[in-house]
Amino acid sequence: MAGRIVQADVDEVKSRTNIADIIGEHVALKSAGVGSMKGLCPFHDERSPSFNVRPQVGFYHCFGCGESGDVYTFLRKIDHLSFTEAVERLAGRIGYALHYEAGGGPAPETSGRARLYAANSAAAEWFRSQLMAPGADAGRRFLGERGFDAGAAAHFGVGYAPQGWSNMSEALTAQGFTRDELLAAGLVSQGQRGVYDRFRGRVIWPIRDVTGQTVGFGARRLFDDDNGPKYLNTPETTLYRKTQVLYGLDLAKRDISRGDPRRVVVVEGYTDVMACHLAGITTAVATCGTAFGTEHMNIVRRVMGDDTGAEVVFTFDPDAAGQKAAVRAFAETRGLKAQSFVAVAPEGLDPCDLRLKRGDAAVRSLMDTKVPMFEFVIDQRLKGFDLATVEGRAGALRSGAEVVAGIRDDTIRAGYERVLARRIGMDPDEVRRAVRAAARRAEAHQDEPARRFATPVADASATEQPAAPLERVTVASLPATPDVVLERDAVMGLLQYGHRLERAQFDRAAAQPFRHPALDAVRQAVAASDPERAGWSVEAVSSVREPYRSLAAELLTAQFPARDDDHAVASTRALAKRVVLRTLDDEKRDLLSAVQRVAADSDGGRAVRLRLRELDAERQRLLDEE
């Protein structure tokens, strides 16, 4: 078994990896000033971007939840990898041969998750090869009847699982994968007589995560004697969680993040994704055998960026099941800044059938016929009421008002109040009052559990109270006094651009004591660092004592006020100079106070006057420096 990866290789892989490229596969990042990028945090639910990345130093920090670290930390948290697995994945990405302490030579990947990824990748390649085999006529016919040729199948990695109980498992066993690995990957199932291939006699779609790694498969039944479900997916595994993956996102993410407007189109199946992409809607994705839920929405928001002008378009069948799906999706999109829409194809056709019957242009035209999600859901709510009766209109008002009350934007909500009034034929003022009442009921309903389960406050004198945890200090919580602002900006500049300063200037500025205790804790870590060492600023942040480490991470990733890199370096030099000048001015102030108490002709008086002259000369030299 391979030992630990040698540290030199760990450092080399990290230095060759752009952290923004790795994080950008999970989060839509935008420029946030000089050397900084920002997006929605993948580690907690947020409405406004507070997740900052500094590619130059290889570090990220969330100003909302406090998560921070380097590229290895990110991969370990986002994909639940071990440290070794994270290094191995990045090394494989750049084609770097790792060396291990045991023996010192290259070693193969033997870690658990890496083996599961490898097994899925090998299975995907084997399924693709089988689609061209003589026995795959049924699979090729299925694809051809839906308008997909060999090129389309290759683009999406579509394959075929031949009939038989052990074809795939025998092929992968010959490649060195064990039965336990195939079971853990969900590629085989356990029966009374042993393991057997999970997918048999089916068309196969590889399901990939946002980075393009295969985590599972979806399979469509082809033969009448197959008693399994029409669609069969990989079971829940270490790699595959159906609520945490969207089919086609690996292909769609680039166009989603670069679109104008940014748009995600959510369809219902694998063939619908294929049809949309081939027709030109290259931002289409689909869930994998489950309803669109909160975790799917979080994935979409991170990739899309949740801009006000962004769009999420759902395509649903107009039948009862489709209407229920729309209402469920509506619940997940209510907190979006992005606009949500519903597109229903003519005759209730799904995108795949629409493309077959009417061509690519008809699929693209779906985007022209979309209606706002709120409007669609309101119409669905009103369908159950007889608007010709007073009772029907009253019921419709109560039901529709609940929907409109959930709209956060005041202007949009007012517009939908008028839409609802027109739909049910009632006075707009009456509708407005009903919406406000629905909003009050919703707030009361949200507060009720807190009141119901509230625990009375115990008498502090009756029991000993535990010590309160140290409060996390943030950049936003720092007082806006001139001294604190100077110290904040100076230590931010030193962390971000200290390696660009002359070493003597860096050391002298970092040695000056700060007045704010949290900022001084960060300064001390900076002063103990070597700015000429690669990765020094990240090491400095990690060495800051608690509870100030998160503040240091914010200072390293915060937007530095500058036009460009050169301006940022110049500003850092100026701030470093101001910190030293402040110390000199403080000493001069103390000496001027002391000179009043010391006889002028005494040794002490002469020493004070001499030091004052030295301070003035030193101050002038600093001011004269460029």
Side-chain angles (χ1 to χ4, degrees), residues 391-427:
E391 293 81 4
R393 288 194 295 275
L397 175 59
R398 284 192 295 271
S399 184
E402 292 177 356
V403 177
V404 178
I407 302 175
R408 295 187 176 187
D409 188 292
D410 293 341
T411 303
I412 296 177
R413 183 170 61 247
Y416 276 105
E417 288 172 353
R418 293 189 292 272
V419 169
L420 180 58
R422 288 196 301 271
R423 291 284 203 278
I424 60 180
M426 297 185 73
D427 181 80

Side-chain angles (χ1 to χ4, degrees), residues 363-546:
V363 178
R364 291 192 297 271
S365 69
L366 275 176
M367 297 303 100
D368 300 326
T369 60
K370 65 184 187 295
V371 297
M373 175 71 86
F374 280 110
E375 187 174 328
F376 180 85
V377 173
I378 288 171
D379 287 343
Q380 299 305 313
R381 288 286 186 95
L382 300 187
K383 280 184 178 180
F385 298 96
D386 183 0
L387 300 182
T389 66
V390 173
E391 293 81 4
R393 288 194 295 275
L397 175 59
R398 284 192 295 271
S399 184
E402 292 177 356
V403 177
V404 178
I407 302 175
R408 295 187 176 187
D409 188 292
D410 293 341
T411 303
I412 296 177
R413 183 170 61 247
Y416 276 105
E417 288 172 353
R418 293 189 292 272
V419 169
L420 180 58
R422 288 196 301 271
R423 291 284 203 278
I424 60 180
M426 297 185 73
D427 181 80
D429 289 336
E430 187 174 356
V431 171
R432 188 174 303 110
R433 288 193 294 271
V435 170
R436 291 176 180 172
R440 288 193 296 271
R441 287 194 300 272
E443 291 177 1
H445 180 70
Q446 290 174 351
D447 293 340
E448 180 60 28
R451 291 196 299 270
R452 186 183 307 157
F453 297 109
T455 303
V457 178
D459 183 356
S461 62
T463 59
E464 184 178 350
Q465 299 297 309
L470 293 171
E471 185 175 353
R472 182 163 66 97
V473 181
T474 66
V475 170
S477 70
L478 294 172
T481 61
D483 271 338
V484 172
V485 170
L486 170 62
E487 293 174 357
R488 178 200 67 195
D489 291 349
V491 76
M492 184 189 303
L494 289 175
L495 272 171
Q496 297 184 17
Y497 297 97
H499 58 286
R500 300 275 299 275
L501 269 58
E502 294 77 9
R503 182 61 186 267
Q505 185 178 35
F506 173 92
D507 288 342
R508 187 173 187 186
Q512 307 306 314
F514 282 2
R515 297 167 185 172
H516 192 283
L519 292 170
D520 194 60
V522 181
R523 177 203 62 77
Q524 290 177 39
V526 171
S529 301
D530 178 2
E532 297 172 3
R533 173 183 166 84
W536 74 272
S537 55
V538 175
E539 292 177 0
V541 168
S542 65
S543 69
V544 175
R545 70 179 187 274
E546 294 292 8

Side-chain angles (χ1 to χ4, degrees), residues 51 72 139 181 232 236 384 447 482:
F51 185 80
Y72 296 137
E181 288 171 341
L232 178 66
E236 298 282 298
D447 293 340

Side-chain angles (χ1 to χ4, degrees), residues 43 59-62 66-70 73-74 77 541 549-550 553:
F43 303 117
F59 195 77
Y60 69 87
H61 178 79
C62 177
E67 288 284 356
S68 62
D70 62 11
T73 309
F74 181 83
K77 288 182 179 294
V541 168
R549 191 170 300 152
S550 183

Side-chain angles (χ1 to χ4, degrees), residues 130-169:
Q130 295 304 301
L131 185 61
M132 297 298 106
D137 290 341
R140 292 191 293 270
R141 183 165 57 251
F142 172 88
L143 293 170
E145 289 172 351
R146 285 154 182 77
F148 305 128
D149 58 17
H155 179 69
F156 291 93
V158 182
Y160 175 73
Q163 292 176 300
W165 294 94
S166 60
N167 293 298
M168 185 277 302
S169 55

Side-chain angles (χ1 to χ4, degrees), residues 167-239:
N167 293 298
M168 185 277 302
S169 55
E170 289 176 1
L172 265 64
T173 300
Q175 295 183 37
F177 294 99
T178 67
R179 184 193 67 173
D180 289 342
E181 288 171 341
L182 299 183
L183 275 168
L187 293 168
V188 298
S189 299
Q190 179 71 55
Q192 292 181 346
R193 298 182 179 179
V195 299
Y196 58 90
D197 290 355
R198 179 176 178 83
F199 305 112
R200 307 177 308 280
R202 290 174 176 257
V203 171
I204 301 287
W205 286 268
I207 300 171
R208 306 183 183 105
D209 64 16
V210 70
T211 69
Q213 295 193 99
T214 302
V215 295
F217 298 90
R220 208 280 191 184
R221 185 180 60 201
L222 295 175
F223 299 101
D224 293 338
D225 60 355
D226 186 339
N227 296 321
K230 183 177 180 179
Y231 281 95
L232 178 66
N233 282 9
T234 294
E236 298 282 298
T237 70
T238 303
L239 303 183

